[in-house]
Amino acid sequence: MRIDVISLFPEFIDQSTGFGVVGRARERDLLQVQGWNPRDHATGNYRRVDDRPFGGGPGMVMLIEPLRACLDAARVADPAPAPVVYLTPQGRPLTQARVRELATLPRMILLCGRYEGVDERFLVNEVDEEISIGDYVLSGGELAAAVLIDAVARLQDGVLNDAESAAQDSFEGEGGLLDCPHYTHPASHAWGEVPDVLRSGNHAAIARWRRQQSLGRTWLRRPDLLDEAGLSKADRKLLEAFRAEHAAGGKAEQP
Ligand code: ADE
């Protein structure tokens, strides 16, 4: 997959996608990330990329023309069609389901805003989709772009090895539930014991326990996800038992 990023801070994008799983994907050419700076496409002595908003008020608004020239340059570099995605708190909240869809594209172009925003006419004419990474305001779209790049990169074929497999992640399992808790050595520690079932060697019992923990955690932390999960009868029974144990003050999970 190729991702072009239009940003006043292309070095940020380059560096923030240079580590770990995403950095490795780039090194192996499973993912290409290319930054494009509108300032390189601005004209005049001052290479202006922004101006005051019509109607007054605080902040600056990014100009149409440097963005347009920058986008054209990105399109010339690779003519394969690519949707333009604008990162903004006004966008549709990003979900793992949308990440999965975007990850199938051969290419996309991300637009990172700064200042108060981008001239609305550029958005209307050039942007295909607006995405938010949450209901809070960042100083610019770069961090949001890095989040989106990470999320789609790890779903590209060959990026994760078996040990890192995405299949068990939160949102990726059956019904899009949260992940279960994980434990490693030592089995016994001043902060508690690893649940016996995980040391039993009984794979069916372990799978059942993990499913029950996923259901219980989702119920405790993100009950909204359960509405969409399409739980089976067996799931409902597991969750019922979890809730009963929880109500009895059991050790199913501390809230
Ligand atoms: N730019 C500023 N805040 C943002 C957010 N929450 N999501 C996406 N882009 C943003």
mmCIF file of all heavy atoms in Angstrom, residues 217-249:
data_model
loop_
_atom_site.group_PDB
_atom_site.id
_atom_site.type_symbol
_atom_site.label_atom_id
_atom_site.label_comp_id
_atom_site.label_asym_id
_atom_site.label_seq_id
_atom_site.Cartn_x
_atom_site.Cartn_y
_atom_site.Cartn_z
ATOM 1 N N ARG A 217 -15.243 -8.254 29.830
ATOM 2 C CA ARG A 217 -14.550 -6.970 29.731
ATOM 3 C C ARG A 217 -15.319 -5.988 28.866
ATOM 4 O O ARG A 217 -15.386 -4.804 29.158
ATOM 5 C CB ARG A 217 -13.216 -7.174 29.018
ATOM 6 C CG ARG A 217 -12.180 -7.474 29.951
ATOM 7 C CD ARG A 217 -10.856 -7.158 29.416
ATOM 8 N NE ARG A 217 -10.074 -7.246 30.618
ATOM 9 C CZ ARG A 217 -8.793 -7.074 30.702
ATOM 10 N NH1 ARG A 217 -8.108 -6.792 29.626
ATOM 11 N NH2 ARG A 217 -8.183 -7.164 31.828
ATOM 12 N N THR A 218 -15.864 -6.497 27.774
ATOM 13 C CA THR A 218 -16.613 -5.627 26.870
ATOM 14 C C THR A 218 -17.864 -5.113 27.580
ATOM 15 O O THR A 218 -18.209 -3.937 27.471
ATOM 16 C CB THR A 218 -16.972 -6.386 25.575
ATOM 17 O OG1 THR A 218 -15.781 -6.966 25.050
ATOM 18 C CG2 THR A 218 -17.586 -5.455 24.547
ATOM 19 N N TRP A 219 -18.502 -6.003 28.336
ATOM 20 C CA TRP A 219 -19.691 -5.603 29.109
ATOM 21 C C TRP A 219 -19.330 -4.532 30.142
ATOM 22 O O TRP A 219 -20.038 -3.534 30.294
ATOM 23 C CB TRP A 219 -20.277 -6.844 29.793
ATOM 24 C CG TRP A 219 -21.313 -6.532 30.806
ATOM 25 C CD1 TRP A 219 -22.553 -5.998 30.597
ATOM 26 C CD2 TRP A 219 -21.203 -6.725 32.223
ATOM 27 N NE1 TRP A 219 -23.210 -5.846 31.792
ATOM 28 C CE2 TRP A 219 -22.408 -6.285 32.806
ATOM 29 C CE3 TRP A 219 -20.205 -7.236 33.060
ATOM 30 C CZ2 TRP A 219 -22.637 -6.337 34.182
ATOM 31 C CZ3 TRP A 219 -20.432 -7.302 34.429
ATOM 32 C CH2 TRP A 219 -21.638 -6.847 34.973
ATOM 33 N N LEU A 220 -18.184 -4.702 30.812
ATOM 34 C CA LEU A 220 -17.783 -3.740 31.855
ATOM 35 C C LEU A 220 -17.313 -2.407 31.269
ATOM 36 O O LEU A 220 -17.635 -1.346 31.780
ATOM 37 C CB LEU A 220 -16.629 -4.309 32.686
ATOM 38 C CG LEU A 220 -16.992 -5.370 33.722
ATOM 39 C CD1 LEU A 220 -15.730 -6.023 34.263
ATOM 40 C CD2 LEU A 220 -17.797 -4.748 34.861
ATOM 41 N N ARG A 221 -16.514 -2.492 30.206
ATOM 42 C CA ARG A 221 -15.818 -1.293 29.730
ATOM 43 C C ARG A 221 -16.461 -0.632 28.520
ATOM 44 O O ARG A 221 -16.370 0.575 28.360
ATOM 45 C CB ARG A 221 -14.372 -1.655 29.365
ATOM 46 C CG ARG A 221 -13.614 -2.256 30.518
ATOM 47 C CD ARG A 221 -12.208 -2.613 30.101
ATOM 48 N NE ARG A 221 -11.515 -3.280 31.197
ATOM 49 C CZ ARG A 221 -10.202 -3.460 31.241
ATOM 50 N NH1 ARG A 221 -9.461 -3.041 30.241
ATOM 51 N NH2 ARG A 221 -9.647 -4.067 32.259
ATOM 52 N N ARG A 222 -17.033 -1.447 27.636
ATOM 53 C CA ARG A 222 -17.626 -0.895 26.410
ATOM 54 C C ARG A 222 -18.950 -1.586 26.104
ATOM 55 O O ARG A 222 -19.091 -2.255 25.082
ATOM 56 C CB ARG A 222 -16.644 -1.075 25.239
ATOM 57 C CG ARG A 222 -15.401 -0.202 25.305
ATOM 58 C CD ARG A 222 -15.736 1.286 25.142
ATOM 59 N NE ARG A 222 -16.476 1.529 23.910
ATOM 60 C CZ ARG A 222 -15.897 1.663 22.711
ATOM 61 N NH1 ARG A 222 -14.592 1.633 22.607
ATOM 62 N NH2 ARG A 222 -16.630 1.868 21.640
ATOM 63 N N PRO A 223 -19.945 -1.415 26.997
ATOM 64 C CA PRO A 223 -21.218 -2.119 26.766
ATOM 65 C C PRO A 223 -21.844 -1.765 25.420
ATOM 66 O O PRO A 223 -22.600 -2.561 24.858
ATOM 67 C CB PRO A 223 -22.087 -1.655 27.942
ATOM 68 C CG PRO A 223 -21.392 -0.485 28.553
ATOM 69 C CD PRO A 223 -19.951 -0.612 28.230
ATOM 70 N N ASP A 224 -21.523 -0.604 24.878
ATOM 71 C CA ASP A 224 -22.078 -0.213 23.573
ATOM 72 C C ASP A 224 -21.693 -1.215 22.476
ATOM 73 O O ASP A 224 -22.443 -1.417 21.526
ATOM 74 C CB ASP A 224 -21.590 1.200 23.190
ATOM 75 C CG ASP A 224 -20.070 1.309 23.174
ATOM 76 O OD1 ASP A 224 -19.432 1.046 24.233
ATOM 77 O OD2 ASP A 224 -19.510 1.649 22.115
ATOM 78 N N LEU A 225 -20.516 -1.848 22.628
ATOM 79 C CA LEU A 225 -20.069 -2.791 21.593
ATOM 80 C C LEU A 225 -20.899 -4.084 21.597
ATOM 81 O O LEU A 225 -20.983 -4.763 20.577
ATOM 82 C CB LEU A 225 -18.590 -3.145 21.788
ATOM 83 C CG LEU A 225 -17.572 -2.013 21.624
ATOM 84 C CD1 LEU A 225 -16.171 -2.521 21.933
ATOM 85 C CD2 LEU A 225 -17.620 -1.445 20.210
ATOM 86 N N LEU A 226 -21.481 -4.404 22.752
ATOM 87 C CA LEU A 226 -22.239 -5.666 22.842
ATOM 88 C C LEU A 226 -23.488 -5.629 21.975
ATOM 89 O O LEU A 226 -23.918 -6.652 21.454
ATOM 90 C CB LEU A 226 -22.622 -5.961 24.291
ATOM 91 C CG LEU A 226 -21.491 -6.459 25.194
ATOM 92 C CD1 LEU A 226 -22.022 -6.717 26.594
ATOM 93 C CD2 LEU A 226 -20.833 -7.711 24.638
ATOM 94 N N ASP A 227 -24.054 -4.429 21.800
ATOM 95 C CA ASP A 227 -25.269 -4.309 20.993
ATOM 96 C C ASP A 227 -25.039 -4.781 19.562
ATOM 97 O O ASP A 227 -25.927 -5.295 18.902
ATOM 98 C CB ASP A 227 -25.755 -2.845 20.954
ATOM 99 C CG ASP A 227 -26.039 -2.320 22.359
ATOM 100 O OD1 ASP A 227 -26.261 -3.159 23.247
ATOM 101 O OD2 ASP A 227 -26.023 -1.089 22.538
ATOM 102 N N GLU A 228 -23.821 -4.551 19.080
ATOM 103 C CA GLU A 228 -23.494 -4.879 17.686
ATOM 104 C C GLU A 228 -22.885 -6.273 17.535
ATOM 105 O O GLU A 228 -22.604 -6.704 16.429
ATOM 106 C CB GLU A 228 -22.438 -3.874 17.158
ATOM 107 C CG GLU A 228 -22.782 -2.422 17.375
ATOM 108 C CD GLU A 228 -23.776 -1.937 16.340
ATOM 109 O OE1 GLU A 228 -23.490 -2.103 15.150
ATOM 110 O OE2 GLU A 228 -24.834 -1.420 16.743
ATOM 111 N N ALA A 229 -22.634 -6.934 18.673
ATOM 112 C CA ALA A 229 -21.770 -8.116 18.627
ATOM 113 C C ALA A 229 -22.460 -9.372 18.097
ATOM 114 O O ALA A 229 -21.779 -10.303 17.675
ATOM 115 C CB ALA A 229 -21.196 -8.380 20.016
ATOM 116 N N GLY A 230 -23.790 -9.402 18.085
ATOM 117 C CA GLY A 230 -24.498 -10.602 17.608
ATOM 118 C C GLY A 230 -24.097 -11.835 18.400
ATOM 119 O O GLY A 230 -23.619 -12.823 17.831
ATOM 120 N N LEU A 231 -24.303 -11.797 19.713
ATOM 121 C CA LEU A 231 -23.837 -12.888 20.577
ATOM 122 C C LEU A 231 -24.629 -14.175 20.341
ATOM 123 O O LEU A 231 -25.854 -14.139 20.184
ATOM 124 C CB LEU A 231 -23.966 -12.476 22.046
ATOM 125 C CG LEU A 231 -23.165 -11.249 22.481
ATOM 126 C CD1 LEU A 231 -23.276 -11.067 23.993
ATOM 127 C CD2 LEU A 231 -21.704 -11.347 22.057
ATOM 128 N N SER A 232 -23.910 -15.292 20.383
ATOM 129 C CA SER A 232 -24.559 -16.606 20.270
ATOM 130 C C SER A 232 -25.171 -16.968 21.627
ATOM 131 O O SER A 232 -24.915 -16.302 22.637
ATOM 132 C CB SER A 232 -23.520 -17.663 19.893
ATOM 133 O OG SER A 232 -22.605 -17.800 20.968
ATOM 134 N N LYS A 233 -25.920 -18.063 21.625
ATOM 135 C CA LYS A 233 -26.513 -18.535 22.892
ATOM 136 C C LYS A 233 -25.397 -18.883 23.883
ATOM 137 O O LYS A 233 -25.490 -18.564 25.082
ATOM 138 C CB LYS A 233 -27.385 -19.768 22.614
ATOM 139 C CG LYS A 233 -28.729 -19.695 23.286
ATOM 140 C CD LYS A 233 -29.619 -20.831 22.835
ATOM 141 C CE LYS A 233 -30.373 -21.380 24.024
ATOM 142 N NZ LYS A 233 -31.133 -22.576 23.721
ATOM 143 N N ALA A 234 -24.354 -19.519 23.365
ATOM 144 C CA ALA A 234 -23.234 -19.916 24.245
ATOM 145 C C ALA A 234 -22.567 -18.677 24.833
ATOM 146 O O ALA A 234 -22.219 -18.647 26.025
ATOM 147 C CB ALA A 234 -22.225 -20.742 23.446
ATOM 148 N N ASP A 235 -22.409 -17.630 24.001
ATOM 149 C CA ASP A 235 -21.830 -16.366 24.486
ATOM 150 C C ASP A 235 -22.682 -15.801 25.623
ATOM 151 O O ASP A 235 -22.163 -15.360 26.648
ATOM 152 C CB ASP A 235 -21.769 -15.329 23.358
ATOM 153 C CG ASP A 235 -20.596 -15.551 22.420
ATOM 154 O OD1 ASP A 235 -19.630 -16.226 22.825
ATOM 155 O OD2 ASP A 235 -20.655 -15.034 21.284
ATOM 156 N N ARG A 236 -23.985 -15.818 25.424
ATOM 157 C CA ARG A 236 -24.880 -15.228 26.442
ATOM 158 C C ARG A 236 -24.757 -15.961 27.766
ATOM 159 O O ARG A 236 -24.775 -15.359 28.834
ATOM 160 C CB ARG A 236 -26.333 -15.266 25.948
ATOM 161 C CG ARG A 236 -26.613 -14.249 24.880
ATOM 162 C CD ARG A 236 -28.056 -14.245 24.410
ATOM 163 N NE ARG A 236 -28.142 -13.563 23.144
ATOM 164 C CZ ARG A 236 -28.019 -12.248 22.989
ATOM 165 N NH1 ARG A 236 -27.834 -11.473 24.036
ATOM 166 N NH2 ARG A 236 -28.067 -11.700 21.784
ATOM 167 N N LYS A 237 -24.607 -17.285 27.669
ATOM 168 C CA LYS A 237 -24.456 -18.072 28.908
ATOM 169 C C LYS A 237 -23.134 -17.719 29.606
ATOM 170 O O LYS A 237 -23.087 -17.554 30.827
ATOM 171 C CB LYS A 237 -24.498 -19.567 28.586
ATOM 172 C CG LYS A 237 -25.916 -20.103 28.533
ATOM 173 C CD LYS A 237 -25.947 -21.588 28.273
ATOM 174 C CE LYS A 237 -25.750 -22.403 29.560
ATOM 175 N NZ LYS A 237 -25.981 -23.836 29.331
ATOM 176 N N LEU A 238 -22.077 -17.591 28.798
ATOM 177 C CA LEU A 238 -20.768 -17.245 29.382
ATOM 178 C C LEU A 238 -20.832 -15.876 30.055
ATOM 179 O O LEU A 238 -20.316 -15.677 31.156
ATOM 180 C CB LEU A 238 -19.684 -17.222 28.294
ATOM 181 C CG LEU A 238 -19.180 -18.576 27.783
ATOM 182 C CD1 LEU A 238 -18.237 -18.379 26.605
ATOM 183 C CD2 LEU A 238 -18.485 -19.343 28.908
ATOM 184 N N LEU A 239 -21.477 -14.939 29.383
ATOM 185 C CA LEU A 239 -21.568 -13.579 29.922
ATOM 186 C C LEU A 239 -22.435 -13.569 31.184
ATOM 187 O O LEU A 239 -22.112 -12.892 32.163
ATOM 188 C CB LEU A 239 -22.134 -12.625 28.858
ATOM 189 C CG LEU A 239 -22.270 -11.160 29.276
ATOM 190 C CD1 LEU A 239 -20.948 -10.589 29.784
ATOM 191 C CD2 LEU A 239 -22.778 -10.308 28.096
ATOM 192 N N GLU A 240 -23.521 -14.346 31.156
ATOM 193 C CA GLU A 240 -24.394 -14.435 32.340
ATOM 194 C C GLU A 240 -23.589 -14.901 33.546
ATOM 195 O O GLU A 240 -23.696 -14.338 34.643
ATOM 196 C CB GLU A 240 -25.525 -15.431 32.034
ATOM 197 C CG GLU A 240 -26.916 -14.967 32.388
ATOM 198 C CD GLU A 240 -27.076 -13.484 32.595
ATOM 199 O OE1 GLU A 240 -27.189 -12.715 31.617
ATOM 200 O OE2 GLU A 240 -27.071 -13.074 33.772
ATOM 201 N N ALA A 241 -22.770 -15.932 33.346
ATOM 202 C CA ALA A 241 -21.957 -16.477 34.445
ATOM 203 C C ALA A 241 -20.944 -15.434 34.917
ATOM 204 O O ALA A 241 -20.705 -15.276 36.118
ATOM 205 C CB ALA A 241 -21.243 -17.747 33.978
ATOM 206 N N PHE A 242 -20.371 -14.708 33.986
ATOM 207 C CA PHE A 242 -19.413 -13.653 34.341
ATOM 208 C C PHE A 242 -20.100 -12.594 35.192
ATOM 209 O O PHE A 242 -19.581 -12.161 36.216
ATOM 210 C CB PHE A 242 -18.833 -13.033 33.059
ATOM 211 C CG PHE A 242 -17.792 -11.965 33.310
ATOM 212 C CD1 PHE A 242 -16.431 -12.258 33.215
ATOM 213 C CD2 PHE A 242 -18.173 -10.664 33.632
ATOM 214 C CE1 PHE A 242 -15.472 -11.279 33.442
ATOM 215 C CE2 PHE A 242 -17.217 -9.678 33.863
ATOM 216 C CZ PHE A 242 -15.866 -9.988 33.771
ATOM 217 N N ARG A 243 -21.290 -12.208 34.758
ATOM 218 C CA ARG A 243 -22.013 -11.147 35.479
ATOM 219 C C ARG A 243 -22.391 -11.609 36.876
ATOM 220 O O ARG A 243 -22.309 -10.838 37.838
ATOM 221 C CB ARG A 243 -23.265 -10.742 34.701
ATOM 222 C CG ARG A 243 -22.920 -9.943 33.462
ATOM 223 C CD ARG A 243 -24.057 -9.917 32.484
ATOM 224 N NE ARG A 243 -25.034 -8.910 32.816
ATOM 225 C CZ ARG A 243 -25.831 -8.351 31.922
ATOM 226 N NH1 ARG A 243 -25.743 -8.700 30.650
ATOM 227 N NH2 ARG A 243 -26.685 -7.453 32.277
ATOM 228 N N ALA A 244 -22.799 -12.870 36.980
ATOM 229 C CA ALA A 244 -23.187 -13.410 38.295
ATOM 230 C C ALA A 244 -21.985 -13.377 39.234
ATOM 231 O O ALA A 244 -22.088 -12.948 40.388
ATOM 232 C CB ALA A 244 -23.715 -14.833 38.129
ATOM 233 N N GLU A 245 -20.836 -13.822 38.701
ATOM 234 C CA GLU A 245 -19.628 -13.845 39.528
ATOM 235 C C GLU A 245 -19.208 -12.422 39.904
ATOM 236 O O GLU A 245 -18.812 -12.148 41.037
ATOM 237 C CB GLU A 245 -18.495 -14.546 38.779
ATOM 238 C CG GLU A 245 -17.333 -14.871 39.676
ATOM 239 C CD GLU A 245 -16.305 -15.791 39.015
ATOM 240 O OE1 GLU A 245 -16.636 -16.403 37.975
ATOM 241 O OE2 GLU A 245 -15.180 -15.860 39.519
ATOM 242 N N HIS A 246 -19.364 -11.527 38.953
ATOM 243 C CA HIS A 246 -19.009 -10.126 39.192
ATOM 244 C C HIS A 246 -19.908 -9.533 40.274
ATOM 245 O O HIS A 246 -19.442 -8.851 41.193
ATOM 246 C CB HIS A 246 -19.130 -9.330 37.890
ATOM 247 C CG HIS A 246 -18.706 -7.899 38.026
ATOM 248 N ND1 HIS A 246 -17.377 -7.546 38.147
ATOM 249 C CD2 HIS A 246 -19.410 -6.757 38.079
ATOM 250 C CE1 HIS A 246 -17.291 -6.236 38.266
ATOM 251 N NE2 HIS A 246 -18.520 -5.729 38.228
ATOM 252 N N ALA A 247 -21.213 -9.821 40.170
ATOM 253 C CA ALA A 247 -22.176 -9.276 41.139
ATOM 254 C C ALA A 247 -21.884 -9.821 42.538
ATOM 255 O O ALA A 247 -22.079 -9.128 43.538
ATOM 256 C CB ALA A 247 -23.595 -9.639 40.716
ATOM 257 N N ALA A 248 -21.391 -11.074 42.576
ATOM 258 C CA ALA A 248 -21.089 -11.699 43.866
ATOM 259 C C ALA A 248 -19.739 -11.233 44.400
ATOM 260 O O ALA A 248 -19.249 -11.770 45.399
ATOM 261 C CB ALA A 248 -21.114 -13.215 43.711
ATOM 262 N N GLY A 249 -19.138 -10.265 43.686
ATOM 263 C CA GLY A 249 -17.834 -9.744 44.125
ATOM 264 C C GLY A 249 -16.702 -10.683 43.798
ATOM 265 O O GLY A 249 -15.627 -10.637 44.377
#
